[in-house]
Amino acid sequence: MSPAASARPTGIIRLTVAQALVRFLTAQYAERDGIRERFIPGTFGIFGHGNVAGLGQALLQNAQDPAEGEAPMPFHMSRNEQNMVHTAVAYARTKNRLQTFACTASIGPGSTNMITGAALATVDRIPVLLLPSDIFATRTVDPVLQQLEDETSGDVSVNDAFRPVSRYFDRISRPEQLIPAALQAMRVLTDPAETGAVTLSLPQDVQAEAFDWPLEFFRERTWHVARPVPEPAALDRAVEVIRSAKKPVLIAGGGAIYSEASDALAAFTDATSIPVLDTQAGKGALSADHPLCIGGVGSTGNNAANTLAAEADVVIGVGTRYTDFTTASHTAFRNADVRFVNLNVKAFDAAKHSATMVVTDARAGLDALRGALAGAPASDAAPGATATDIASATGYQAPAEHAERARALRAEWEELVAPCFAPHDQELPAQTEIFGALNDMMGDEDIVINAAGSMPGDLQALWKARSPLQYHLEYGYSCMGYELPASLGAKMASPSSEVVAIIGDGTFQMAPQEIATIVAERVKVILVILQNHGWSSIGALSESHGSQRFATEYRMRDATSGLLDGGLVPLDIPANIRSYGIEVQEVSSAADFREAYRRAAASSEATAIVVTTNLYGPNPPGNSWWDVPVSEVSTLDSTQSARSVYEDRRSPQRHYL
């Protein structure tokens, strides 16, 4: 033993910063409702000169020669840095934000590739720990390979771009800074109101630097995920508003799922007869089998839900942040006297639309609100009593005719969209036929994954989610390329579920790389690729807004016109997928798709089904709107006509004050 080592005080261990970080993360646990699990069960990464000898060495040492009592930190090699963040996000979402992965990348493009994933996680309020490598803290070798030099400041790097898309950011410029930064990172990751991307930027020299760490830093820690309960006065205010309602609706957002509030939501709906509408993130919070589950609301919602939203005098938002798709760009709620009651764990969201705020966990808030509404009106109570003190049997229920109208509108909608699923005389199936087949064939605990394009609109309007797990749509950031890596994360989080990623040909071309990771990890997922030779969503949006589907189909440049309106680009998606080593089935009818899906579900390995579909539908009808401004002046007749429609459609827009 060296003199320096013998002189080191007890309770101290000498490790590099990277080794210390790995050891710390293996000892972090999250607990909610008595269920305790390790919060960071593994790491995704791609190694380069910024992390291969730092975090890479630490992860290798953890695998081959861990310290006594040090838990393993499994490592999963990804193919693209943005994709691996998406994989971690999907895992965390499937785990209701109670577990997530760490992601490590090398300096420069490796790290900045993770920025889109960071933005997605923060927008969607999903925890993920990002460990981008950074330039030398000592600056001895400035500029290092891949360093962006800032002529006005020596401490700026490209990693500063993570700051606006992270809920917490810190750069570890000295070893001892890791201790407070790691603890702050865990605080934010496990806070249901503050969670999102957390970024610890790690200069490559600091990763490899040794330090004497107190052993107490590595003890097991349990981070208790809070369920804030409503303030009694806030609950009383909410009860007063809801009791006045003649046409109330409840909008279930993602918070209703992450807080595992499905039973509480069903009990609330049964007790009050208030119809439930859902957002993309909240679909499945109340099972579609419930007679008062009306379905998706807003720009891509269904006619029944949007009719109820337009008439509502009180809107109860539960765990929703009211994106423009949910509010149909502030045109969905048309009752001149509409009022909002928002139950949200985050005050920022609870305050939206001048609402009566109830800052609370969704499950705890629904239970408390149901109990409070079961009492008599406060005007009948003894002086000084609160709504929660009252136990009279004369509870609140929405008027019977309102609930009956909701059920009737739902039935009308289901009859209206039946042709979307039925065989027709077109040569190719519509994507809605494929969705109908999947909805029929997938189990309640299976998971369908989608993100961007026309498909989320069809899915929100048509899909009947029978559990909180089944419907996995990333529509906060609407990020093309999310679906395929997300299927890997969801399957890792729920191995017993059949996981189906629905991917358009446009999305597939952006991010196919993680098929290689799926194969390497021996993970069984089903990839459904819809081939329609174009951007269906943007094509339809372009046409409806006067831009004639310009540059939205995958075509060759024509020698005569000079435009991209020649023959179809000869991309062979099935051959591309086969090159990764997985089975591919090619179909062009809904009946053949059903048979292909049965074979894929029976297989023990990953399978892709490539379906050639009709670019033009049929699609579900809609009675809502989304604000995409049309050029105010134009020489094109198509644009002038679209501008006139736009001005008419935006006339109901207003602030809810």
Side-chain angles (χ1 to χ4, degrees), residues 65-89:
D65 187 25
E68 183 178 352
E70 181 179 341
M73 174 62 80
F75 177 77
H76 305 271
M77 182 176 66
S78 299
R79 269 59 179 183
N80 174 275
E81 293 88 357
Q82 176 178 311
N83 288 351
M84 72 184 177
V85 182
H86 290 169
T87 304
V89 167

Side-chain angles (χ1 to χ4, degrees), residues 333-356:
F333 311 110
R334 301 199 177 191
N335 188 316
D337 299 317
V338 65
R339 292 188 289 172
F340 292 80
V341 173
N342 291 339
L343 281 64
N344 204 293
V345 73
K346 193 175 181 69
F348 177 81
D349 292 319
K352 287 177 178 175
H353 305 323
S354 304
T356 297

Side-chain angles (χ1 to χ4, degrees), residues 12-295:
I12 295 293
I13 185 170
R14 191 162 182 81
L15 301 170
T16 68
V17 169
Q19 292 162 0
L21 178 56
V22 169
R23 183 165 180 175
F24 171 84
L25 292 176
T26 65
Q28 306 306 302
Y29 289 77
E31 177 275 331
R32 187 172 71 180
D33 301 334
I35 299 174
R36 178 178 180 267
E37 295 181 286
R38 204 174 100 184
F39 190 72
I40 307 282
T43 299
F44 290 110
I46 298 177
F47 293 129
H49 72 93
N51 62 350
V52 66
L55 274 170
Q57 188 280 335
L59 289 162
L60 170 68
Q61 184 168 303
N62 172 270
Q64 292 191 353
D65 187 25
E68 183 178 352
E70 181 179 341
M73 174 62 80
F75 177 77
H76 305 271
M77 182 176 66
S78 299
R79 269 59 179 183
N80 174 275
E81 293 88 357
Q82 176 178 311
N83 288 351
M84 72 184 177
V85 182
H86 290 169
T87 304
V89 167
Y91 182 94
R93 175 172 174 166
T94 306
K95 287 289 189 178
N96 286 331
R97 308 192 299 191
L98 298 174
Q99 286 183 294
T100 191
F101 272 71
C103 297
T104 176
S106 186
I107 76 166
S111 287
T112 55
N113 278 350
M114 295 197 294
I115 290 173
T116 294
L120 180 146
T122 297
V123 166
D124 290 348
R125 319 281 170 83
I126 305 293
V128 63
L129 177 61
L130 306 181
L131 305 174
S133 301
D134 213 332
I135 58 177
F136 280 69
T138 60
R139 307 182 196 169
T140 303
V141 292
D142 281 8
V144 68
L145 176 66
Q146 299 176 320
Q147 178 176 345
L148 173 70
E149 295 181 90
D150 188 317
E151 298 173 359
T152 64
S153 177
D155 64 350
V156 170
S157 81
V158 293
N159 283 8
D160 287 282
F162 282 96
R163 292 181 186 271
V165 295
S166 299
R167 293 299 300 161
Y168 178 81
F169 175 95
D170 202 352
R171 177 176 282 114
I172 312 303
S173 299
R174 289 190 53 81
E176 56 266 40
Q177 293 172 353
L178 179 66
I179 293 176
L183 293 169
Q184 285 295 328
M186 284 302 304
R187 176 191 66 80
V188 174
L189 287 166
T190 57
D191 186 322
E194 298 302 319
T195 196
V198 166
T199 302
L200 298 182
S201 187
L202 302 171
Q204 56 180 306
D205 53 342
V206 176
Q207 289 182 45
E209 188 174 347
F211 183 72
D212 291 338
W213 304 90
L215 285 174
E216 183 68 9
F217 180 52
F218 306 111
R219 68 172 175 84
E220 281 193 6
R221 284 179 168 81
T222 300
W223 301 84
H224 300 281
V225 180
R227 284 197 182 277
V229 298
E231 178 192 13
L235 196 62
D236 285 343
R237 292 190 291 268
V239 166
E240 182 180 1
V241 174
I242 295 170
R243 281 191 177 279
S244 72
K246 304 299 182 186
K247 296 181 178 180
V249 297
L250 185 149
I251 297 179
I257 289 181
Y258 304 141
S259 66
E260 299 172 346
S262 290
D263 289 345
L265 179 56
F268 180 88
T269 306
D270 290 341
T272 63
S273 296
I274 296 177
V276 174
L277 324 179
D278 49 52
T279 70
Q280 289 281 13
K283 185 174 287 294
L286 183 67
S287 171
D289 293 336
H290 194 288
L292 284 176
C293 178
I294 310 303

